[in-house]
Amino acid sequence: MEIVCPAGTPAALRAAVKAGAHTVYCGFNDETNARNFPGLNFDRAEMREGVEFAHAHGARVLVAINTFPRAGSQSVWHRAIGDAQAAGADAVILADAGLLDYGARSYPELRLHLSVQAAAANADIINFYADTFGVKRVVLPRILSVPEIAVINAETEVETEVFVFGGLCVMAEGRCSLSSFATGLSPNMNGVCSPASHVEYIDDNGVLNARLGGFTIHRTAKDAPAPYPTLCKGCFSAGGQTGHLFEDPVSLNAEQLIPQLQKAGVTALKIEGRQRSKSYVAQVVRNFRAAVDALEAGTPLPEGMLARLSEGQAMTTGAYKKTWR
């Protein structure tokens, strides 16, 4: 299976390729991608150079243009698609139906992938995108079990790509709206989720308060792991109970499910982490490349050493096993 790896910077792209990534995904340094943060992403020259480097080492590059255009500003997103094609990108990752239509009509030779933000969770909608816009691959949302993925693959010819490691984020608009409310910036339209500029940590008599946009998201005891205050992973009180009502602040790690995902017909395994360092990217890529190579060779999967790279120093298989059922 194909390993699809994050690259938030040109240095991370080179590290991922050298570590054995089959494919790297990245974005331009503007609001056209869902990881629009200072110091991250690529200008146009860097994108061309990154694609050239990847191709020279036998790797592919996907450009994420996966936010939703603001009314009256579609030209910004249209230009990004054209620039990705001009840079030699192997595909663009799109979520908005209007952008898919524009890409299919304007650049028919450019391969289109459907972003996880489109939330395509059944074969009917996936086939619609394929028939209407020529989409070749869909990134499945992180809400599906392995048997559900197998059912989808049995009913579509479109390639499927699934997340296997990194931030456990569903990226549904309802919850992203919480972040928009707290900070005034939209993850889905501006590409800014829980921006660091709106984060503060306050010591309150030995208890650490993590705040986002003035709202307390977590309270952790002294010496306890303090997760980053992403609002949908916050600790809430409701109905007399306190807990992580939406998502736990932990990392997805499905490396031991790789054989099942292969049997389910998955084409590509995606690693989240464009905000991470090049050393993080290299270590995770090496681990998953070793696992995929072992699977192809018919040897046991190596034991992972990814715990210390996880969010909150804890990991889960998330919706793949749907333990709440």
Side-chain angles (χ1 to χ4, degrees):
M1 286 182 288
E2 181 180 341
I3 303 294
V4 181
C5 308
T9 63
L13 181 148
R14 293 190 294 270
V17 170
K18 291 178 180 178
H22 300 116
T23 300
V24 174
Y25 68 98
C26 50
F28 291 117
N29 55 356
D30 56 33
E31 59 189 326
T32 62
N33 89 84
R35 291 293 182 268
N36 178 26
F37 294 98
L40 289 184
N41 303 309
F42 294 62
D43 63 28
R44 269 51 181 179
E46 290 170 335
M47 186 65 75
R48 290 192 299 271
E49 293 166 0
V51 171
E52 290 174 0
F53 179 88
H55 287 175
H57 291 78
R60 294 176 290 274
V61 176
L62 316 179
V63 178
I65 307 173
N66 56 343
T67 50
F68 297 88
R70 290 178 289 102
S73 299
Q74 296 95 317
S75 60
V76 175
W77 280 259
H78 292 174
R79 183 168 66 88
I81 295 174
D83 289 346
Q85 193 275 338
D90 297 277
V92 291
I93 308 171
L94 306 176
D96 182 78
L99 291 183
L100 287 161
D101 179 64
Y102 174 82
R105 288 187 294 104
S106 303
Y107 304 98
E109 72 283 6
L110 180 61
R111 183 178 169 96
L112 304 182
H113 290 189
L114 187 64
S115 169
V116 66
Q117 289 236 85
N122 62 75
D124 286 347
I125 188 62
I126 293 170
N127 289 333
F128 167 80
Y129 280 111
D131 295 341
T132 307
F133 307 115
V135 166
K136 303 299 184 185
R137 179 181 296 182
V138 56
V139 184
L140 295 176
R142 284 164 276 201
I143 58 172
L144 298 168
S145 66
V146 175
E148 287 169 335
I149 292 171
V151 170
I152 288 173
N153 280 321
E155 298 177 355
T156 182
E157 296 298 318
V158 178
E159 298 173 359
T160 54
E161 180 175 311
V162 302
F163 282 92
V164 290
F165 192 82
L168 185 58
C169 174
V170 177
M171 295 190 79
E173 174 60 39
R175 281 182 284 181
C176 292
S177 289
L178 293 173
S179 182
S180 302
F181 175 80
T183 68
L185 296 170
S186 168
N188 305 97
M189 299 182 71
N190 307 115
V192 183
C193 171
S194 304
S197 57
H198 290 65
V199 171
E200 59 180 342
Y201 295 93
I202 300 174
D203 188 327
D204 182 12
N205 295 319
V207 176
L208 186 66
N209 289 348
R211 297 169 63 84
L212 177 70
F215 296 92
T216 298
I217 309 302
H218 293 282
R219 288 172 55 84
T220 52
K222 184 178 181 180
D223 299 326
Y228 188 84
T230 303
L231 205 150
C232 65
K233 298 180 182 179
C235 194
F236 295 87
S237 295
Q241 296 184 354
T242 298
H244 299 284
L245 302 185
F246 298 104
E247 298 172 18
D248 290 338
V250 298
S251 284
L252 172 68
N253 184 4
E255 61 179 332
Q256 293 304 312
L257 296 179
I258 290 175
Q260 293 96 304
L261 291 169
Q262 183 190 50
K263 291 178 181 177
V266 168
T267 298
L269 305 174
K270 188 166 191 172
I271 298 166
E272 187 272 344
R274 281 192 284 151
Q275 294 165 259
R276 301 284 192 157
S277 69
K278 63 180 183 180
S279 60
Y280 168 95
V281 169
Q283 184 169 344
V284 176
V285 169
R286 281 194 295 267
N287 186 280
F288 278 94
R289 180 61 189 264
V292 168
D293 289 348
L295 185 64
E296 293 298 320
T299 58
L301 267 64
E303 290 294 327
M305 298 181 64
L306 299 173
R308 66 186 181 85
L309 300 178
S310 65
E311 183 178 356
Q313 293 81 54
M315 294 183 290
T316 177
T317 53
Y320 285 121
K321 293 192 175 180
K322 291 189 175 177
T323 55
W324 62 84
R325 290 184 174 178

